[in-house]
Amino acid sequence: MNRHGKLNYVEMPAADIDATKAFFSKVFNWTFTDYGPDYTAFANEGLDGGFYRAPLSAKAENGSALLVFYSESLEETRNEVVRAGGTILKEVYDFPGGRRFHFAEPSGNEFAVWSDPA
């Protein structure tokens, strides 16, 4: 539902849109709607958004916002990320309130996954 003043959509770069779509489809069961060869959108995944073709990537170390998933089984999600071609940037670690890891999807964008404390 669209609500005034609330985050509604996010757009991220993707050098390889097909690989990015395949990754998120496999790991998180996302579906996409293509709008030409240079843009694909996802919906109903917590926050709607899309990927646009660009030779860039979003990384927290460069000042980009970090999008964080929640998982009920952190290790299982970590393993699925690796099986689907993702790269682990920070292995599972504890933080106040839970545990998390960071990964890059095939186009190089950084994301994190968190879970409740062990």
Side-chain angles (χ1 to χ4, degrees), residues 44-97:
N44 301 314
E45 302 306 342
L47 178 65
D48 293 353
F51 291 96
Y52 57 92
R53 189 175 312 281
L56 307 169
S57 60
K59 292 188 170 74
E61 69 184 22
N62 295 335
S64 178
L66 180 65
L67 298 175
V68 183
F69 291 88
Y70 175 77
S71 173
E72 293 177 350
S73 178
L74 196 63
E75 285 75 14
E76 196 173 301
T77 301
R78 183 219 173 272
N79 293 339
E80 187 61 33
V81 163
V82 172
R83 282 192 297 272
T87 303
I88 301 302
L89 301 175
K90 292 182 183 178
E91 285 292 348
V92 174
Y93 64 94
D94 293 327
F95 72 96

Side-chain angles (χ1 to χ4, degrees), residues 17 25 54 60 97-98:
I17 289 176
S25 294

Side-chain angles (χ1 to χ4, degrees), residues 12-24:
M12 295 167 284
D16 187 338
I17 289 176
D18 290 335
T20 294
K21 285 172 39 181
F23 175 84
F24 283 100

Side-chain angles (χ1 to χ4, degrees), residues 17-18 21 32-37 39-41:
I17 289 176
D18 290 335
K21 285 172 39 181
F32 293 88
T33 302
D34 294 334
Y35 294 95
Y39 195 88
T40 191

